[in-house]
Amino acid sequence: MKTLEIFDRPMCCATGVCGPQIDPVLPRFAADLQWLASLGVRVERYNLSQQPGAFADNAVVREAVAAAGTVCLPLIAVDGQIVSRAEYPTREALAQWTGVAARSSAGTPQGLPIADSSCCGGQPC
């Protein structure tokens, strides 16, 4: 099965549901990642502010950030190859890159609920 890696810009948490401004794309993207993982795709997500070593240890990511700065984040890689820069892709794009079906047999999008808990453990970020 494919491995999907996400190298996020610095932020409080990956879900984006905490902090003063919530980016509505982040909860959708987090749900899409849960969906992919439920289908057997290996999903690894790194946040620059919390896991800088993952960025430094990956030569492709290190070079991209050195060349463009953090404006290129998020970087999305499939099996070590960058497939997207500077935006969170749609479920359809994620499915295409990882070789899974984006829709159920009934033709409706599949998804998983977003967890009710905050990444900040109920504390302000």
Side-chain angles (χ1 to χ4, degrees):
M1 189 51 75
K2 302 275 185 182
T3 297
L4 178 77
E5 294 177 288
I6 302 91
F7 295 87
D8 281 307
R9 60 187 176 258
M11 52 186 170
C12 166
C13 62
T15 64
V17 297
C18 57
Q21 291 183 316
I22 297 173
D23 182 348
V25 172
L26 290 172
R28 179 211 32 100
F29 186 68
D32 290 346
L33 296 180
Q34 288 179 337
W35 169 75
L36 279 176
S38 76
L39 296 174
V41 174
R42 183 174 173 200
V43 176
E44 298 178 6
R45 192 166 188 184
Y46 308 104
N47 182 327
L48 182 58
S49 63
Q50 297 171 0
Q51 298 150 308
F55 290 72
D57 292 343
N58 185 307
V60 174
V61 172
R62 187 175 59 243
E63 290 170 14
V65 173
T70 58
V71 71
C72 71
L73 301 177
L75 290 171
I76 313 295
V78 175
D79 292 339
Q81 299 294 319
I82 295 175
V83 295
S84 177
R85 298 170 186 258
E87 66 180 358
Y88 289 98
T90 63
R91 177 175 291 203
E92 289 75 20
L94 292 168
Q96 180 181 4
W97 297 330
T98 57
V100 300
R103 301 201 176 266
S104 70
S105 59
T108 58
Q110 295 186 19
L112 297 173
I114 298 170
D116 291 332
S117 63
S118 166
C119 65
C120 300
Q123 301 298 317
C125 295

